[in-house]
Amino acid sequence: NQLQTIGIAAANTWGLFLLVLLLGYGLVEIPRSHWNGAKRGYLLMKTYFKAAKLMTEKADAEENLEDIMEAIRKVSESIKYNHPLRKCVDTILKKCPTEYQERMGRNMDDYEDFDERQNSYPSEKSLAKLHKQVIYSVQRHRRTQVQWQILLEQAFYLEDVAKNESSATRQFVHTFHSQEPENKIIQYFYTPTVEWYWECLLRPWFYRVLAVVLATFSVIVVWSECTFFSTKPVLSLFAVFIQLAEKTYNYIYIEMACFLTIFFLSICVYSTVFRIRVFNYYYLASHHQTDAYSLLFSGMLFCRLTPPLCLNFLGLTHMDATISHKNTQPTAYTSIMGSMRVLSFIADGFYIYYPMLVVILCIATYFSLGTRCLNLLGFQQFMGDSEMTSDLIDEGKELIRREKRKRQRQEEGENRRREWKERYGNRDDSTRSRAVHTDQKESSFSETSASRPLSKYTRSNGRTERDRIELLQDAEPLDFNADSVSDDPLESDSGR
């Protein structure tokens, strides 16, 4: 009868094992990340470090994509239009980037027939494998491109903040204008002066205060995780808060206390999942750049962590009968998932003492033991006292400086073209309209002249030779006498 409860207890045990690992990292890293968020120099150095690492990944993704596209080009040239596998090749080509599709389309001759005896064609299985490689390489290339643009914007923003901190006008000046149109309401209230006070003065203090509050919550969680099994006296602070509210029947206070507790625990656990990278294959990327495998892996991990998280919350607040040892009305979670009392060695052993390991994990996270171990294994991590970190920071700084000069040249070129258009745009339009009007007159004259019979005296300018002779006869003859010529050629009419 308790087989279902045993299975749920086994699943919760495995989930609790992962929960404590992730919770120990999040309880320290989240307050520390907000505290470091107030340090502009630290954030800028870390951004340079990320830029150097991401450029290596970006170059690797581009090289991999080029190799895959070369293999597709060879397959596309070998399999002609009347081959049975041509539909498979067309399906693969649709997944390629547009520039590669156009390049392959220009170099392909589909009017040649295939010969099964002379050429060796790939099998359908190899084409399916190639299709999978194309999807992965294109997704990886697009993801690195988007991440690089996001990292550039972040680096430019931090450099602008560092530059504006010493501004005497107290107005925030951006090096580059935002490419996206801003909301007029936000633009009206969020003026450059307000932005300077927020970015350069208020925001660091806000992050420090938030870090202190989060650190206080982390200390309360660690203390409660180590003492929640004690019922007499009650040492868990969350249980103390809930029991004080029970005495006064203050249900609003109970709901707010439960909400804040679960909310903080969820942030500490789930934010760690967003930072996990399993062999650089399973990880969540921002701006909709996560592949299907990583989404499934992360969704499965979230589902596996949620039930033990709720169970741990019930233990911290002494709402679970296994911890409080009271014959109270069971909670909705216990009525659905069952009680842990069925397996005594789990309920009285692992479930009670294993959460105490969160203290060891918090200490290891505080001293960055995991980061140091990964750095020794060859996975470059950001460490301020490492020579490799300094080299990568210098490399990333040079990459950001190069991209900044490139963007400045682009904006200068666009500004010159815009000024040229504003200055000479109307003149070009009027010149163009006059040219169009002249063309229309010439075309109408050519049509009328073509409709009349041609005379032997007719010239291209529409005037006959007889008319020219009459005009010359009517004109007065010029007198080139010596008296009419002055010594100064500029004073005489004939000289002029």
Side-chain angles (χ1 to χ4, degrees), residues 49 368 371-372 375 381-387 389-390 393:
F49 177 82
S368 303
T371 302
R372 298 179 187 276
N375 204 16
Q381 302 294 319
F382 183 76
M383 296 178 61
D385 55 351
S386 175
E387 183 179 357
T389 301
S390 301
I393 288 175

Side-chain angles (χ1 to χ4, degrees), residues 440-458:
Q440 291 177 356
K441 290 177 65 178
E442 291 180 355
S443 61
S444 61
F445 175 78
S446 61
E447 290 176 358
T448 55
S449 61
S451 62
R452 294 180 296 180
L454 294 175
S455 173
K456 61 179 181 180
Y457 298 106
T458 303

